Amino acid sequence: TNGAYTVSWNSSNGATSYNLQRKLNSGGWSTIQTSASTSRAESGLGTGDYSYRVRACSSAGCSSYSAAKITLVLFPPSSFSVPKQRITY
């Protein structure tokens, strides 16, 4: 219930680093990680559609980005009220 999950991908032969990008809903892409790791732990994210894409990099340059994958973060309401109903017989 805290918007926590892990994004991971397969390693690419010869890659020395990976650029991971994320976008929220229909917003723009932002680079959120550049490292040799093939995963990233996410937490504290709010409700929304989070898209991710990654590309592999080496001394020869970087590949194009992968196809985007989407994760939906959705929280139940924190509280709700049931209207009182009077029943008369």
Side-chain angles (χ1 to χ4, degrees), residues 8-88:
S8 63
W9 56 93
N10 293 328
S11 62
S12 179
N13 192 27
T16 55
S17 67
Y18 300 91
N19 295 337
L20 177 64
Q21 291 191 327
R22 176 181 69 202
K23 75 174 180 174
L24 173 58
N25 300 321
S26 59
W29 290 103
S30 297
T31 300
I32 57 170
Q33 179 172 297
T34 299
S35 74
S37 177
T38 56
S39 66
R40 175 183 167 92
E42 295 278 62
S43 64
L45 298 176
T47 296
D49 289 325
Y50 291 87
S51 298
Y52 295 88
R53 66 183 185 179
V54 66
R55 69 178 176 178
C57 297
S58 70
S59 59
C62 295
S63 68
S64 54
Y65 279 98
S66 65
K69 300 293 184 181
I70 300 171
T71 297
L72 172 63
V73 175
L74 185 62
F75 294 100
S78 57
S79 65
F80 63 93
S81 60
V82 176
K84 294 181 180 179
Q85 186 177 25
R86 175 178 266 178
I87 300 174
T88 306

